[in-house]
Amino acid sequence: MATIDLIVLGMLKKESLSAYDIQKLVEYRNISKWVKISTPSIYKKVIQLEEKGLITSHTEKDGKMPEKAVYTLTDAGKEAFEKLMYEISDKPINIFLDFNAVIVNLENMPKESQKECLENIESNMNVLKTYLEENVALKENAPDVPAIGMAVLHQQFLLVQAIEKWIVEVKKGLE
């Protein structure tokens, strides 16, 4: 099982939700910014988890809205959740940054192109930093945002700051 399993099972551990509600929580909590998870993968995942017997569904209809499947964690799902928590927390930490593919190939580019690639990365890092700053400010005192969610936002912000400093060093090394 993967990280997405843990995200979905964890959300369902708190409450029964539809796939749409899970997707909205993923968006609201900005989970897709630090975990590879997409809307289609959420819908596929709830079907897979139900087939494995880790969640069950029942249909609900709210007023004039169309029927929707609402998912609930089974006992097997609760066990799988706990097992995944330990499995994933016990794995070696890997930080995959897609832009490192550019960094390891900078030497294969002319100096001016190297500089431009680094400036692109730096610009995108600034966009991410601004996004995180706005998110932290927006959610810092929101009662519905758990402290652990804020801890992850702060972690991401610290990583961005570290990468900014690192980019400065890389630029100096290429001069």
Side-chain angles (χ1 to χ4, degrees):
M1 285 199 238
T3 308
I4 186 172
D5 298 59
L6 185 57
I7 298 293
V8 172
L9 292 173
M11 287 183 176
L12 293 175
K13 189 156 181 9
K14 284 188 175 186
E15 62 184 316
S16 297
L17 298 165
S18 68
Y20 176 79
D21 293 331
I22 294 169
Q23 182 252 324
K24 286 296 172 197
L25 275 172
V26 164
E27 282 178 21
Y28 177 72
R29 294 180 181 167
N30 301 304
I31 293 170
S32 59
K33 288 284 186 191
W34 55 82
V35 174
K36 288 194 181 211
I37 186 170
S38 66
T39 299
S41 65
I42 293 168
Y43 286 88
K44 289 178 193 172
K45 187 50 64 179
V46 293
I47 291 167
Q48 291 171 355
L49 293 172
E50 188 170 31
E51 288 171 354
K52 291 179 180 178
L54 302 179
I55 63 176
T56 60
S57 67
H58 66 276
T59 305
E60 285 185 6
K61 182 159 175 53
D62 189 16
K64 293 184 179 184
M65 298 298 289
E67 288 184 344
K68 63 180 178 180
V70 176
Y71 298 92
T72 304
L73 208 56
T74 63
D75 288 340
K78 290 173 187 172
E79 288 177 24
F81 168 79
E82 287 191 24
K83 182 179 177 194
L84 274 172
M85 286 290 289
Y86 288 108
E87 275 181 22
I88 293 174
S89 67
D90 195 37
K91 285 184 177 180
I93 304 296
N94 294 309
I95 299 175
F96 297 108
L97 303 170
D98 292 340
F99 67 81
N100 276 337
V102 172
I103 300 302
V104 299
N105 282 296
L106 280 176
E107 294 172 341
N108 299 326
M109 301 284 284
K111 284 283 183 199
E112 197 54 42
S113 297
Q114 291 176 12
K115 189 175 180 179
E116 187 177 342
C117 287
L118 281 172
E119 287 169 0
N120 289 342
I121 293 168
E122 188 172 36
S123 173
N124 286 316
M125 200 55 63
N126 287 332
V127 168
L128 178 58
K129 183 178 182 182
T130 300
Y131 170 81
L132 289 168
E133 286 171 333
E134 290 170 357
N135 235 325
V136 167
L138 182 70
K139 296 177 179 174
E140 191 85 61
N141 297 311
D144 62 331
V145 178
I148 210 73
M150 286 307 301
V152 172
L153 273 176
H154 288 287
Q155 171 210 59
Q156 295 297 298
F157 188 74
L158 289 170
L159 284 169
V160 166
Q161 289 178 316
I163 291 169
E164 282 180 323
K165 290 177 185 175
W166 172 81
I167 288 172
V168 170
E169 291 174 22
V170 171
K171 282 178 152 182
K172 284 180 186 174
L174 292 175
E175 290 176 355

